[in-house]
Amino acid sequence: MENKKIIINVGRQLGSGGRVIAKMLADDFGCGFYDRELLNLAAKESGFREELFEQNDEHKGFFRSLFHTLSPHVSETSFYNNDMSQEGLFKFQSDAIRKAADGGSCVFVGRCADYVLRDYENVFNIFITADTEYRIRQVMERKGCDEAKARKIINSGDSERASYYNYYTGKKWGASESYDLCINTCLLGLERTEKYIAQIIRERFGL
């Protein structure tokens, strides 16, 4: 890739192949790739355990149950008034996203990166979707479960991602107006979808 720095943010429905496409885009453009890697970066930046970020990963509202797993010497008042709040962890994760973006071209998967980096230049925001039956088959294969279980995993996962995204961004997860491009991977398959997206990005930024 030429010296121009670009940022690609990929939102995705569960089972759509969005993460796979994001990784292919990172390889195609020679970008850094950040999915769960962001949790480790945020933990290092904050000094908190990575497990805290894993439990909060694209979720909201887990802190009430988490509080009861902490030391009995930690008061509920101090817990909710310090940086171990949900907003505090989101801020640390956002700081990690910005730090990675400042370092060079990146592809980010989910975690409201499109919102966090809304003021950056050369940003392209994508949402990856797929037909329900395709997504169910992918989850069944990945999780080794039956159709009913796969459907439940998809509904729960998408609901959590939508709630998290909508809460922190004030936008609507998956709505076309929130992204530069929305695409269904069932139309072309994963590899051709990635090539199509990559061509649009090259034309958009003159690469």
Side-chain angles (χ1 to χ4, degrees):
M1 192 185 73
E2 296 178 12
N3 292 330
K4 183 183 293 185
K5 183 172 76 173
I6 61 169
I7 305 296
I8 303 170
N9 300 310
V10 180
R12 73 284 182 228
Q13 287 184 316
L14 201 154
S16 66
R19 185 187 187 281
V20 174
I21 288 175
K23 183 62 171 67
M24 287 193 288
L25 285 168
D27 292 341
D28 198 344
F29 287 99
C31 293
F33 176 74
Y34 296 93
D35 183 12
R36 295 186 63 82
E37 293 83 357
L38 284 170
L39 307 182
N40 178 261
L41 289 177
K44 288 180 178 178
E45 288 294 310
S46 67
F48 291 134
R49 298 190 311 275
E50 187 172 346
E51 288 82 356
L52 284 175
F53 293 92
E54 289 175 349
Q55 288 173 291
N56 191 43
D57 191 25
E58 294 189 293
H59 292 53
K60 62 182 289 289
F62 80 98
F63 273 93
R64 282 287 164 187
S65 59
L66 176 61
F67 171 74
H68 296 292
T69 71
L70 297 174
S71 166
H73 302 294
V74 178
S75 72
E76 186 165 1
T77 300
S78 65
F79 176 73
Y80 286 103
N81 287 340
N82 66 21
D83 285 331
M84 285 173 60
S85 67
Q86 190 163 24
E87 281 68 25
L89 294 189
F90 180 77
K91 180 183 181 301
F92 285 126
Q93 183 169 273
S94 298
D95 289 344
I97 290 171
R98 283 187 284 265
K99 184 174 183 178
D102 288 340
S105 295
C106 298
V107 176
F108 295 99
V109 178
R111 298 170 183 85
C112 303
D114 59 326
Y115 176 76
V116 173
L117 302 174
R118 62 194 180 279
D119 295 326
Y120 279 58
E121 295 182 349
N122 299 334
V123 174
F124 196 82
N125 301 319
I126 307 161
F127 190 80
I128 305 292
T129 184
D131 296 348
T132 300
E133 294 308 313
Y134 171 85
R135 296 167 61 208
I136 289 173
R137 290 196 302 271
Q138 294 304 305
V139 172
M140 287 174 65
E141 182 177 339
R142 191 192 323 167
K143 299 290 187 179
C145 61
D146 61 20
E147 180 178 340
K149 178 65 173 177
R151 192 180 295 272
K152 183 177 180 180
I153 290 171
I154 286 171
N155 290 338
S156 175
D158 281 356
S159 177
E160 289 171 347
R161 288 176 181 177
S163 179
Y164 181 87
Y165 183 88
N166 297 349
Y167 177 78
Y168 284 110
T169 69
K171 300 192 294 181
K172 186 175 180 180
W173 183 79
S176 59
E177 61 267 23
S178 297
Y179 309 91
D180 298 308
L181 176 69
C182 298
I183 190 165
N184 184 326
T185 56
C186 291
L187 297 176
L188 299 174
L190 298 186
E191 291 188 3
R192 290 176 63 199
T193 296
E194 187 276 334
K195 292 183 184 304
Y196 176 78
I197 295 170
Q199 182 59 34
I200 292 175
I201 291 172
R202 288 189 175 96
E203 293 183 9
R204 170 68 178 81
F205 297 121
L207 301 176

